Amino acid sequence: MGKSKTKNQKKSRATANHVAEEIYGAIPHSFVFNRGQIGKNVGQLIEDMRRVMEPYTAESLKVRKKNVLKDFVAIAGPLGVTHFMIFSKTPTCVNLRLARLPKGPMLNFKVVKYSLVKDVVSSLKKHRMHDQQFTHHPLLILNNFGSDGMHVKLMATMFQNMFPSINVHKVSLNNIKRCVLLNYNPETQEIEFRHYSLKVVPVGMSRGVKKLMQERFPNMAKFEDISELMMKGANLSESEAEQDGEHNITELPQVYSGRGNMASQQSAVRLTEIGPRMSLQLMKIQEGMGDGNVLYHTMISKTEEEIQEILKRKEAQLKQKQARRKKQEQDVAHKNEKREDHKKKSLEGIKKKRAEEEAEEDSEVEDPGNQDDRPAAVESDDEVEYYRQAVGQDPDEDMFPSTKRKHSSERTHGPAKKRKMSPGKSFGKDRDSKSPKRNGPGGHRRDGNTGKGWKKSGDGEKPYGRKMSPGGNFADSPSVPSFEELIFHYRYHKGNELSSYEPLYRTLQAESFRNGVAV
């Protein structure tokens, strides 16, 4: 089991991480991407430029067709991205835009010509490129950017801020493996972009000693002594040792990686181009992210009056935009107020409606007398009145059970009237006595005491069924009705086409024929 970390170790580790985060956050980072349709070669050029800007760039940045510039600006802030390199292609040329986030400016270049990494490497006899060279940022070298002109100084500042700054007193020479050269030509106003790999070799020794230092032993079959190898370096090709001069020989202040590179010793710095190459021409400089004023333009020059007119026009546009935005905010606030008022009124209406419904329910429960005013009772009263007009006398008490009789206080206290019988009544016998049953629609009487439709009971024989009512069937009547009752029931059910009322109609026909009365 490993030892636990002490408090001092944890504190030093946290301090180192905090310092590393601050240093990493202060270093400029970049996005290299394209806008619009580009060809295969321009796509490869973008990949090569990402290789140049390593390690402080997005190596695998995914770009979709629906992405706009605002999407990249929105994501650049949280990621600490400070610069954009945007490539685009037109039918006539390739363009490059360099933008400083978040407020600009933006430099628009025309790519006059370019060469890819694979083209540069294929043109060299011997190239030198490995992955360790891309673990540290390249060294930036600017040449001929001190000429007059604000646009030239602005370009130099833009290029300097794209790469991390170097402190000459603290820099480690072993971290410098590449360099980017930008050369400005005042006559053509073009910038030459080059990317090189650095190599440092010791000088002041023979080629044979260099072979031994590199652990590459030459053929010494023709030598009589090893001193000949040290002094002459015979049988060595001229290509194995490049000629160095004062232009690339310097004294190393530190120990540099490689055999023979010692501090305070002279060594030669050799450059090997690894690509890509580009020739850039500045077209214009704009404020902001491509939507501000034009600070410089190569093709178009304007007088002071024209510039002032443009500024006035833009100020007017900004004022109109602010006025529209203010009006929109007022409209939105007004709509919100109306919505809130409508919401309050709706809630008040809902509460009022619920209170009324609750009050109605309470009144119905507390006042049972309202049950007398239901439509069923009214219909029953109408039936009684209809029966009274049709027959000419009051119906029996049990004929309309839904109708309530008045209390005894409302009646007359005189003797009860005897029910008058109709002179044409053929069944004027007591209900407890036997009555012959008609046999079919002809109306013939049955002579026997018993027959179909009659049943025996303890009190004697009587018809079966329930009490006949205007809403019931004639076959359900417990007693034989009078002729007037038959007429009433027929008129009451005249519009009914049900087959259950056919016995009523047949009986009525028979009685009307017997009494000589037309129905």
Side-chain angles (χ1 to χ4, degrees):
M1 184 176 180
K3 296 181 180 180
S4 61
K5 296 180 181 178
T6 62
K7 293 183 179 180
N8 292 334
Q9 288 177 337
K10 292 181 180 179
K11 187 176 181 180
S12 61
R13 179 70 61 82
T15 304
N17 291 336
H18 182 67
V19 173
E21 289 179 359
E22 289 184 350
I23 295 174
Y24 188 80
I27 294 174
H29 295 71
S30 62
F31 275 171
V32 184
F33 57 95
N34 66 285
R35 294 282 78 206
Q37 296 292 334
I38 57 172
K40 182 178 179 181
N41 293 332
V42 178
Q44 186 61 43
L45 179 61
I46 293 173
E47 297 293 333
D48 295 343
M49 287 303 300
R50 289 179 182 176
R51 192 73 168 167
V52 173
M53 302 302 294
E54 287 184 7
Y56 303 114
T57 189
E59 300 178 7
S60 303
L61 181 63
K62 302 299 181 182
V63 182
R64 298 179 180 178
K65 293 181 180 180
K66 63 180 181 180
N67 292 133
V68 295
L69 188 59
K70 291 183 179 179
D71 298 336
F72 296 97
V73 175
I75 200 63
L79 297 179
V81 177
T82 58
H83 290 82
F84 283 169
M85 297 183 68
I86 309 171
F87 285 88
S88 59
K89 184 180 179 182
T90 64
T92 57
C93 64
V94 178
N95 298 319
L96 170 63
R97 288 181 290 173
L98 299 181
R100 178 72 167 87
L101 297 175
K103 297 181 180 180
M106 178 177 285
L107 279 65
N108 293 264
F109 293 94
K110 176 183 178 182
V111 182
V112 180
K113 52 186 177 180
Y114 66 93
S115 298
L116 303 177
V117 172
K118 60 181 182 180
D119 300 328
V120 175
V121 170
S122 63
S123 64
L124 299 176
K125 293 183 179 180
K126 187 177 181 180
H127 69 276
R128 184 176 182 271
M129 184 171 59
H130 50 83
D131 293 337
Q132 294 180 356
Q133 294 175 338
F134 300 95
T135 57
H136 299 279
H137 63 87
L139 176 66
L140 178 63
I141 301 173
L142 299 176
N143 187 33
N144 291 336
F145 279 88
S147 60
D148 296 336
M150 291 301 297
H151 63 285
V152 179
K153 295 180 181 179
L154 185 58
M155 283 192 296
T157 305
M158 176 68 76
F159 289 129
Q160 287 176 353
N161 293 331
M162 289 180 63
F163 297 91
S165 60
I166 295 176
N167 189 346
V168 294
H169 301 288
K170 297 180 180 180
V171 67
S172 176
L173 296 180
N174 289 322
N175 293 336
I176 301 176
K177 301 293 184 181
R178 297 178 295 134
C179 71
V180 173
L181 174 63
L182 292 172
N183 181 37
Y184 178 71
N185 189 349
E187 297 179 359
T188 60
Q189 295 184 353
E190 293 183 0
I191 301 172
E192 298 294 335
F193 178 90
R194 298 290 186 271
H195 185 210
Y196 295 97
S197 172
L198 290 176
K199 180 181 180 182
V200 179
V201 296
V203 296
M205 61 180 66
S206 63
R207 288 175 291 177
V209 175
K210 292 179 183 179
K211 283 281 188 180
L212 293 176
M213 293 297 294
Q214 297 174 0
E215 296 182 356
R216 296 171 62 186
F217 297 100
N219 186 7
M220 297 185 294
K222 296 182 180 180
F223 295 154
E224 296 180 357
D225 192 274
I226 195 173
S227 59
E228 295 181 5
L229 176 64
M230 299 295 180
M231 300 301 295
K232 297 179 181 180
N235 297 330
L236 295 177
S237 62
E238 293 295 332
S239 62
E240 292 181 0
E242 297 181 3
Q243 298 296 325
D244 297 321
E246 296 179 356
H247 61 281
N248 65 334
I249 296 176
T250 183
E251 184 177 337
L252 295 177
Q254 300 175 7
V255 177
Y256 195 81
S257 60
R259 297 184 181 274
N261 295 322
M262 306 297 294
S264 301
Q265 296 292 331
Q266 288 187 346
S267 298
V269 180
R270 297 175 182 173
L271 301 179
T272 304
E273 188 175 4
I274 57 178
R277 295 180 185 176
M278 285 193 298
S279 295
L280 306 176
Q281 183 180 3
L282 180 65
M283 301 304 295
K284 66 178 179 179
I285 302 174
Q286 285 182 278
E287 291 181 347
M289 296 301 295
D291 55 355
N293 297 327
V294 178
L295 302 178
Y296 171 80
H297 202 288
T298 305
M299 304 296 180
I300 302 174
S301 60
K302 296 181 180 180
T303 61
E304 188 67 22
E305 296 177 355
E306 293 176 348
I307 294 173
Q308 293 297 330
E309 185 179 354
I310 292 172
L311 292 176
K312 290 180 181 179
R313 192 185 308 121
K314 288 201 170 182
E315 289 178 0
Q317 291 177 358
L318 290 175
K319 289 181 180 179
Q320 291 178 0
K321 186 176 180 180
Q322 292 177 358
R324 288 196 301 268
R325 183 174 296 176
K326 187 176 181 180
K327 185 178 179 181
Q328 289 175 358
E329 291 176 356
Q330 293 177 355
D331 294 342
V332 171
H334 183 63
K335 288 181 180 178
N336 291 334
E337 290 178 359
K338 290 179 65 177
R339 189 181 295 110
E340 292 296 330
D341 294 341
H342 181 69
K343 186 177 180 181
K344 290 179 181 179
K345 292 180 180 179
S346 299
L347 293 176
E348 291 177 358
I350 292 172
K351 291 180 181 179
K352 186 177 179 181
K353 186 176 181 180
R354 288 180 179 175
E356 292 177 356
E357 291 178 355
E358 291 176 358
E360 290 178 0
E361 291 177 358
D362 295 341
S363 63
E364 290 177 359
V365 172
E366 293 175 359
D367 189 7
N370 291 338
Q371 297 177 359
D372 297 338
D373 298 334
R374 290 182 299 179
V378 175
E379 291 178 1
S380 299
D381 294 342
D382 293 343
E383 292 174 358
V384 172
E385 185 65 24
Y386 182 78
Y387 182 86
R388 189 179 292 111
Q389 294 177 2
V391 179
Q393 61 183 4
D394 294 336
D396 295 339
E397 294 181 359
D398 54 353
M399 182 174 292
F400 301 101
S402 60
T403 306
K404 295 184 178 181
R405 309 296 295 176
K406 296 183 179 180
H407 297 287
S408 60
S409 60
E410 298 179 0
R411 300 177 183 176
T412 58
H413 297 281
K417 294 182 179 180
K418 187 176 180 181
R419 181 178 178 185
K420 295 181 179 181
M421 303 304 292
S422 174
K425 186 175 180 181
S426 60
F427 302 99
K429 295 183 178 181
D430 190 18
R431 294 182 180 180
D432 295 336
S433 63
K434 296 181 181 180
S435 176
K437 179 72 176 177
R438 290 184 178 84
N439 187 12
H444 300 286
R445 297 175 182 264
R446 190 185 298 270
D447 296 333
N449 293 331
T450 61
K452 189 176 180 180
W454 295 79
K455 63 181 180 179
K456 294 182 179 181
S457 62
D459 297 334
E461 296 181 355
K462 59 181 180 180
Y464 61 88
R466 293 176 296 175
K467 191 76 174 180
M468 186 180 64
S469 62
N473 296 336
F474 174 76
D476 296 333
S477 177
S479 62
V480 179
S482 63
F483 183 71
E484 290 79 4
E485 291 176 351
L486 289 174
I487 294 175
F488 164 72
H489 284 289
Y490 171 73
R491 292 177 180 175
Y492 187 85
H493 296 288
K494 190 174 183 180
N496 200 328
E497 297 179 359
L498 297 176
S499 60
S500 59
Y501 296 102
E502 292 180 0
L504 174 64
Y505 180 72
R506 295 193 188 100
T507 305
L508 185 60
Q509 281 183 336
E511 290 294 326
S512 62
F513 177 79
R514 184 171 171 273
N515 294 307
V517 179
V519 180

